[in-house]
Amino acid sequence: MTEINIELSAVTEIVREAGKLMTDRHMEISQKGNQSNYVTSCDIAVEAYLTERLPKLLPGSLVIGEESTHNPSQGTLLWVIDPIDGTSNFIRDIGISAISVGLVKDGEPYLGVVYQPYRDEMFYAKTGEGAYLNGDPIHVSQRDFAHSHLCSAMSLYDKRYAPPCFRIIDRVYQEADDLRRLGSAAVELVYLACGRVELYFEIRLFPWDAAGAIPIIREAGGSVEALYQDKLPLDRPFPVIAANTPENFRRLREIVTEEIPELPF
């Protein structure tokens, strides 16, 4: 992948400023798609701010955002934005939500920033330059499968795909240590990158859910894959698995592909 001339600090500064827009507790809330999928006025405000600021760092780059998706164009530098990942948590003031920003080049995530404003935790990585949390290098843990924690979910926005998720969770749970369900894919993925959890599976993520975290996991020494895809899809959902070590990744992939032998949607 060709190196892109951009300073990570410029991206993190913009993302941190965007986080200040998440403090409005008098937000407007509406549903989109189904009863479990929400959007708030804060989502709209954060995405508008990022959409206005980020392309100025790379002239000619475009934005794909969860709330205002544009048609992706392969070969173009694309900012892939989730303004608030974990909107339901955000609405309920649970304190586990994040802003996720990924820079994708030719279908490959190149740079990622995930900001958890409740803990003021800024995770970031650029391909070939390592992964960091608030300026300190991070690395995946070395726990084996039996001592691992799995983060997962049950296809909330399309519950037709819940049964194989439950089977996979049960199989992993029987072999691993414990299960976590945090309600934010971006947070769960960067928690894997910094060694707080070891395994991740979700049957149906969208590009803005994962684009920011993928470079962070890879630069932190972990493995992550969009199953049955050659490159990161930018216009449709896809299954994602991730793990801390190659051995754990292989075992998790075996379980997942036995239960989901092909793309289910």
Side-chain angles (χ1 to χ4, degrees):
M1 182 184 293
T2 303
E3 184 177 356
I4 300 167
N5 186 22
I6 186 170
E7 292 294 331
L8 257 173
S9 59
V11 184
T12 58
E13 181 180 350
I14 290 171
V15 172
R16 189 179 299 279
E17 286 298 310
K20 297 176 182 178
L21 300 173
M22 293 175 60
T23 59
D24 183 4
R25 302 315 302 173
H26 301 287
M27 62 191 141
E28 297 177 5
I29 303 169
S30 57
Q31 291 180 321
K32 58 176 185 177
N34 63 32
Q35 66 179 9
S36 299
N37 200 354
Y38 299 94
V39 61
T40 74
S41 54
C42 293
D43 291 83
I44 302 300
V46 170
E47 185 162 311
Y49 182 84
L50 295 173
T51 299
E52 192 272 332
R53 293 290 304 278
L54 289 172
K56 294 179 180 179
L57 299 178
L58 285 171
S61 60
L62 302 176
V63 172
I64 297 175
E66 180 177 8
E67 309 308 335
S68 57
T69 302
H70 298 86
N71 291 327
S73 174
Q74 293 295 330
T76 302
L77 290 172
L78 298 169
W79 297 100
V80 184
I81 297 169
D82 194 336
I84 302 179
D85 186 66
T87 300
S88 183
N89 284 354
F90 178 65
I91 292 168
R92 295 167 181 262
D93 200 23
I94 289 174
I96 305 176
S97 303
I99 298 173
S100 177
V101 172
L103 180 63
V104 177
K105 168 66 173 174
D106 294 326
E108 290 292 336
Y110 176 78
L111 173 156
V113 174
V114 175
Y115 180 47
Q116 219 283 43
Y118 297 96
R119 299 181 61 166
D120 192 26
E121 291 188 331
M122 183 74 73
F123 298 83
Y124 52 94
K126 182 179 176 183
T127 298
E129 296 186 4
Y132 299 86
L133 166 57
N134 291 346
D136 295 324
I138 57 173
H139 199 277
V140 295
S141 83
Q142 294 302 305
R143 296 183 183 94
D144 63 12
F145 207 92
H147 296 91
S148 291
H149 280 191
L150 167 72
C151 281
S152 193
M154 285 67 72
S155 188
L156 177 63
Y157 300 150
D158 194 335
K159 295 182 180 180
R160 293 176 298 172
Y161 303 111
C165 298
F166 282 110
R167 293 196 300 270
I168 290 165
I169 289 168
D170 179 63
R171 288 184 61 180
V172 174
Y173 184 68
Q174 298 305 319
E175 297 184 25
D177 183 14
D178 208 347
L179 170 71
R180 295 290 182 268
R181 166 76 168 114
L182 302 182
S184 167
V187 170
E188 292 173 338
L189 287 165
V190 294
Y191 278 11
L192 189 153
C194 71
R196 295 173 183 170
V197 300
E198 289 70 43
L199 307 170
Y200 180 89
F201 160 71
E202 192 155 350
I203 196 171
R204 196 169 178 271
L205 286 187
F206 286 85
W208 41 82
D209 297 316
I214 286 174
I216 300 172
I217 290 176
R218 288 175 175 166
E219 288 298 305
S223 300
V224 57
E225 179 182 339
L227 280 178
Y228 311 117
Q229 312 294 319
D230 293 329
K231 294 184 177 181
L232 181 74
L234 296 172
D235 58 353
R236 62 189 183 277
F238 46 89
V240 171
I241 61 171
N244 58 333
T245 66
E247 296 80 10
N248 285 356
F249 185 81
R250 284 194 294 270
R251 180 56 188 145
L252 179 61
R253 198 180 194 282
E254 286 174 356
I255 293 171
V256 171
T257 55
E258 285 171 7
E259 297 295 339
I260 309 173
E262 59 184 7
L263 192 67
F265 39 77

